């Protein structure tokens, strides 16, 4: 599922998504009207039926929107009028079935005092997307921090996700980590972050052909690596030079242009440090610049740094009303949770590079990440493929376990 966003911090609450808010509002009415004490089992059954009917209706609205989108007139759909910021749905979403599966696990309809929440709806949308894409899945891309491993940590050996990722590779599905972490062409540093997963490949004795389906794309879209079996049957990463794959149409910028853009971003971040009296270090990389605090910052301070940098770069490129994806040099200015970074390029480009290389269309590509807020760096992928919005590695494991049941 996808949505197009206008970034306006003053008008958007934290963790707000227009489609999720619309669905929450629809579910709230029957919850409020029918929350009087009744027989417990009757209450659960009737609530489940009402919620199921609502999800069925929204499912039909989405299908109608897809039909209008295929005709080239998406704004004519009823859903577009109800949720003007709605984007493209690359697959149908079986929301009624997804609700029934999630409700069986989480007992949403059994609650009397807490209505269906943002996270409930998010998980139902994730389930529906997994159910829809499973039959034709060709490529799964993942964010790194807080999606596959804890923020700033490494992929641990014997993690529950290891077996699930190996299963995808053995089914012929391509798997890639698309991460903001940018270490240039230094494969060793990425191998260190993923040491537990690579060790898991070795324990499972993946065939060379299976291992070759696993990629890492660092710096959002700038540094591509593939998995190879090295001397001593050790699984490692091998840098793929730009000449080995086609990205010229997606990364059409020069190093001089990149450095000029990073100069603007660095100046803006330093201004943020000064005016908010932040204790932080400014780090400059070949295709990124970041603010790394020396003491914990609030979410609002990090959002301010991200949005200030974003606006400065849009103004510099002459398009203050555009999106970061729609300017001559696309970029991503994002709140990383504990820091703030500006990267040249973005995950939209990264996913499209992999789609082109692996011949995976949007309806067969799934991106899993935790940063889908207005200042998150997973948001742009909604334009290129189907998505699942998770909040931690445990949820990633849960959705992959459900996906495994659907093959």
């Amino acid at each position: 599922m996808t949505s197009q966003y206008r970034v306006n911090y003053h008008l958007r609450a934290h963790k707000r998504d227009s489609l999720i808010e619309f669905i929450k509002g629809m579910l709230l009415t029957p919850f409020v009207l029918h929350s009087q004490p009744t027989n417990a089992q009757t209450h659960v059954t009737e609530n489940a039926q009402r919620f199921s009917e609502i999800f069925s209706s929204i499912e039909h609205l989405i299908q109608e929107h897809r039909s209008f989108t295929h005709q080239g007139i998406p704004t004519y759909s009823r859903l577009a009028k109800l949720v003007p910021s709605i984007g493209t749905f690359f697959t149908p979403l079986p929301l009624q079935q997804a609700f029934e599966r999630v409700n069986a696990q989480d007992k949403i309809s059994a609650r009397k005092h807490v209505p269906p929440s943002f996270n409930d709806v998010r998980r139902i949308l994730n389930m529906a997307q997994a159910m829809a894409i499973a039959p034709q899945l060709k490529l799964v891309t993942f964010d790194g921090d807080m999606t596959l491993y804890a923020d700033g940590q490494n992929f641990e050996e014997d993690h529950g996700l290891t077996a699930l990722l190996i299963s995808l590779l053995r089914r012929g599905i391509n798997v890639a980590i698309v991460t903001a972490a940018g270490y240039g062409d230094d494969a060793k540093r990425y191998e260190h972050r993923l040491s537990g997963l690579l060790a898991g490949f070795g324990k499972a004795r993946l065939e060379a052909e299976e291992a070759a389906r696993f990629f890492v794309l660092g710096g959002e879209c700038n540094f591509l690596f593939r998995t190879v079996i090295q001397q001593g049957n050790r699984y490692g990463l091998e840098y793929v030079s730009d000449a080995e794959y086609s990205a010229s149409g997606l990364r059409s910028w020069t190093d001089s242009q990149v450095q000029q853009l990073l100069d603007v971003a660095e100046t803006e971040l330093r201004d943020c440090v000064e005016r908010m009296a932040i204790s932080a270090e400014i780090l400059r990389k070949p295709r990124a610049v970041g603010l790394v605090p020396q003491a914990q910052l609030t979410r609002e301070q990090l959002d301010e740094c991200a949005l200030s940098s974003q606006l400065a770069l849009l103004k510099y490129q002459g398009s203050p009303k555009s999106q970061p994806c729609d300017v001559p040099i696309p970029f991503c200015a994002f709140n990383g949770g504990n820091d703030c970074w500006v990267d040249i390029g973005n995950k939209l480009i990264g996913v499209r590079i992999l789609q082109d290389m692996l011949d995976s269309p949007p309806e067969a590509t799934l991106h899993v990440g935790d940063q889908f807020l207005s200042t998150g760096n997973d948001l742009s992928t909604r334009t290129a493929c189907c998505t699942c919005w998770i909040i931690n590695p445990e949820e990633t494991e849960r959705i992959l376990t459900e996906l495994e049941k659907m093959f």
Side-chain angles (χ1 to χ4, degrees), residues 65-369:
H65 181 73
R66 294 185 74 242
S67 177
F68 278 108
T69 300
H70 291 154
Q71 297 174 52
I73 49 173
T75 56
Y76 281 44
S77 76
R78 287 179 293 165
L79 186 59
K81 290 176 172 58
L82 293 166
V83 188
S85 62
I86 204 70
T88 303
F89 294 87
F90 295 111
T91 67
L93 289 181
L95 290 172
Q96 187 176 27
Q97 286 182 296
F99 163 73
E100 290 167 358
R101 292 182 72 153
V102 174
N103 188 50
Q105 297 172 355
D106 299 341
K107 303 297 186 289
I108 298 169
S109 62
R111 302 198 305 241
K112 287 187 175 183
H113 305 289
V114 179
S117 68
F118 175 96
N119 284 324
D120 291 327
V121 176
R122 178 180 56 78
R123 284 191 287 267
I124 292 165
L125 287 167
N126 286 347
M127 180 69 76
Q129 187 60 85
M131 294 170 68
I133 203 171
Q136 69 264 16
L137 186 61
K138 294 182 68 174
L139 169 64
V140 188
T141 63
F142 295 91
D143 176 39
D145 291 78
M146 292 306 295
T147 299
L148 294 178
Y149 38 81
D151 192 28
Q153 302 301 307
N154 301 328
F155 196 110
E156 297 178 358
E157 195 166 348
D158 298 322
H159 194 289
L161 281 166
T162 302
L164 293 166
L165 295 176
I166 288 172
S167 177
L168 291 173
L169 295 171
R170 284 181 165 159
R171 291 181 183 275
I173 297 169
N174 296 290
V175 177
I177 298 177
V178 182
T179 174
Y183 308 129
D185 60 359
D186 187 353
K188 296 296 182 184
R189 294 192 67 180
Y190 289 102
E191 288 176 356
H192 177 69
R193 296 293 305 274
L194 300 172
S195 56
L197 179 60
L198 295 172
F201 289 173
K203 288 182 178 179
R205 298 184 179 179
L206 279 183
E207 299 290 338
E209 181 182 1
E210 295 168 337
R213 297 191 190 108
F214 181 79
F215 300 86
V216 176
L217 188 51
E220 309 279 1
C221 63
N222 289 292
F223 312 107
L224 180 63
F225 301 83
R226 61 181 162 222
T227 307
V228 294
I229 302 178
Q230 300 170 338
Q231 190 173 11
N233 287 325
R234 175 182 171 274
Y235 290 75
L237 299 175
E238 177 182 76
Y239 178 66
V240 182
S241 68
D242 292 357
E244 294 184 56
Y245 63 97
S246 176
S248 57
L250 296 169
R251 296 197 319 230
S252 55
W253 51 72
T254 66
D255 187 63
S256 174
Q257 292 173 318
V258 167
Q259 298 312 314
Q260 290 173 18
L261 205 65
L262 291 178
D263 287 343
V264 174
E266 181 175 346
T267 298
E268 189 63 29
L269 288 175
R270 292 190 182 281
D271 177 69
C272 289
V273 168
E274 182 176 349
R275 60 189 166 87
M276 289 191 286
I278 293 173
S279 177
E281 182 181 3
I282 303 297
L283 296 182
R284 182 76 173 253
K285 296 184 178 182
R287 295 182 189 176
V289 60
L291 180 151
V292 181
Q294 296 172 348
Q296 184 71 37
L297 297 185
T298 65
R299 174 183 60 82
E300 289 78 7
Q301 287 175 307
L302 291 169
D303 281 350
E304 173 67 19
C305 295
L307 293 171
S308 294
S309 301
Q310 183 179 103
L311 183 58
L313 293 176
L314 289 173
K315 285 182 177 178
Y316 175 75
Q317 298 194 76
S319 307
K321 295 184 179 181
S322 297
Q323 296 291 330
C325 303
D326 302 328
V327 289
I329 304 179
F331 64 91
C332 182
F334 67 97
N335 172 353
N338 293 313
D339 50 21
C340 174
W341 284 89
V342 178
D343 292 334
I344 300 300
N346 51 43
K347 290 187 180 181
L348 166 62
I349 295 175
V351 169
R352 283 180 170 165
I353 287 172
L354 291 165
Q355 286 175 318
D356 290 349
M357 185 174 71
L358 302 170
D359 192 27
S360 181
E363 63 272 17
T365 305
L366 179 67
H367 179 74
V368 182

Side-chain angles (χ1 to χ4, degrees), residues 122 126 141-147 347 367-372 378 381 387-392 395-396:
R122 178 180 56 78
N126 286 347
T141 63
F142 295 91
D143 176 39
D145 291 78
M146 292 306 295
T147 299
K347 290 187 180 181
H367 179 74
V368 182
D370 71 304
Q371 292 283 344
F372 285 99
D378 291 306
T381 64
T387 60
C388 281
W389 183 352
I390 56 80
I391 60 171
N392 54 44
E395 277 201 3
T396 303

Side-chain angles (χ1 to χ4, degrees), residues 1-31:
M1 61 268 184
T2 67
S3 293
Q4 297 168 349
Y5 283 68
R6 277 300 301 167
V7 175
N8 188 328
Y9 192 83
H10 304 288
L11 300 180
R12 296 190 61 242
H14 184 49
K15 287 191 175 181
R16 184 172 293 277
D17 177 286
S18 55
L19 178 61
I20 292 179
E21 294 299 325
F22 168 71
I23 296 174
K24 273 179 58 184
M26 296 293 289
L27 296 170
L28 185 60
T29 300
F31 179 86

